Amino acid sequence: MPHPTNPIDEPPYALTDPHHMLGAYLDYFRTVVPDKLDGLSERELRTSRLPSGWTPLELLHHLTHVERRWLRWGFLGEGVDEPWGDRGPDDRWRVPEGMSPDEVLARYEEQCAWSRAAVAGVPLERRAATGGRFATEAEAPTLGWILFHLLQEYARHAGQLDVVRELADGRVGE
């Protein structure tokens, strides 16, 4: 039986500030997800091994849009082109035709860097702006809620990728 590999260390135990802890764990999972895809062929990246039909590359593209939806469009209230651009006409995740795995990864990394910078030093209790994803102040969650939501989404998807990777080539995660 293969041994689990996890070359990425979790954030330090000494973290106590909630903002730093959320940021550190988000960065941890932002690294874990592409690491789980590393070494898969383009064919494997574009192949689904699950009844739901999503592929590892589609999941990475989805997470790029998740970051955009929650932080650019959601928290900052910025207008974004195609906030649901990770979904096709059948409401399934998709990667635009002709987009290479390297391009999907580069866009993901660029969005993660932007997201990290956008929330640096912003108080967790600050509410999201209105006018983007949220029409009213009553709908607008706090930054802390948004970051925690992103964290749980990353954790869930990282676990799904553990299963997909094991089915693809036997590599197991943590």
Side-chain angles (χ1 to χ4, degrees), residues 23 25-27 29-31 33 59-76 78 80 83 86 107-119 133 146-147 149-151 153-154:
Y25 267 96
L26 271 170
D27 281 344
F29 282 109
R30 285 171 175 149
T31 303
V33 166
L59 186 140
L60 187 63
H61 185 65
H62 165 68
L63 287 171
T64 302
H65 283 269
V66 166
E67 294 259 356
R68 286 178 76 230
R69 276 194 293 272
W70 282 106
L71 294 171
R72 280 191 181 208
W73 188 43
F75 184 66
L76 294 179
E78 291 182 3
V80 297
D86 54 332
R107 288 182 181 195
Y108 169 80
E109 289 173 341
E110 180 182 303
Q111 181 59 54
C112 289
W114 182 94
S115 296
R116 190 177 302 109
V119 301
R133 183 174 188 160
I146 290 171
L147 294 178
H149 176 81
L150 288 174
L151 180 60
E153 184 146 353
Y154 268 99

Side-chain angles (χ1 to χ4, degrees), residues 9-155:
D9 290 329
E10 274 189 81
Y13 296 145
L15 282 177
T16 58
D17 175 79
H19 200 296
H20 290 130
M21 195 176 308
L22 277 170
Y25 267 96
L26 271 170
D27 281 344
Y28 168 75
F29 282 109
R30 285 171 175 149
T31 303
V32 162
V33 166
D35 181 66
K36 290 181 184 300
L37 304 182
D38 188 42
L40 289 176
S41 68
E42 182 166 351
R43 181 172 176 235
E44 284 293 341
L45 289 170
R46 294 183 186 275
T47 299
S48 177
R49 295 187 169 269
L50 302 170
S52 57
W54 60 265
T55 71
L57 194 60
E58 288 170 343
L59 186 140
L60 187 63
H61 185 65
H62 165 68
L63 287 171
T64 302
H65 283 269
V66 166
E67 294 259 356
R68 286 178 76 230
R69 276 194 293 272
W70 282 106
L71 294 171
R72 280 191 181 208
W73 188 43
F75 184 66
L76 294 179
E78 291 182 3
V80 297
D81 294 336
E82 300 186 70
W84 304 99
D86 54 332
R87 295 188 178 164
D90 56 358
D91 203 34
R92 281 200 43 230
W93 296 339
R94 67 166 178 83
V95 173
E97 195 70 34
M99 189 179 284
S100 72
D102 287 342
E103 187 177 356
V104 173
L105 178 60
R107 288 182 181 195
Y108 169 80
E109 289 173 341
E110 180 182 303
Q111 181 59 54
C112 289
W114 182 94
S115 296
R116 190 177 302 109
V119 301
V122 178
L124 294 176
E125 27 322 305
R126 184 167 299 158
R127 289 210 169 268
T130 58
R133 183 174 188 160
F134 306 107
T136 68
E137 197 171 304
E139 294 175 283
T142 64
L143 176 60
W145 188 95
I146 290 171
L147 294 178
F148 199 83
H149 176 81
L150 288 174
L151 180 60
Q152 69 80 24
E153 184 146 353
Y154 268 99

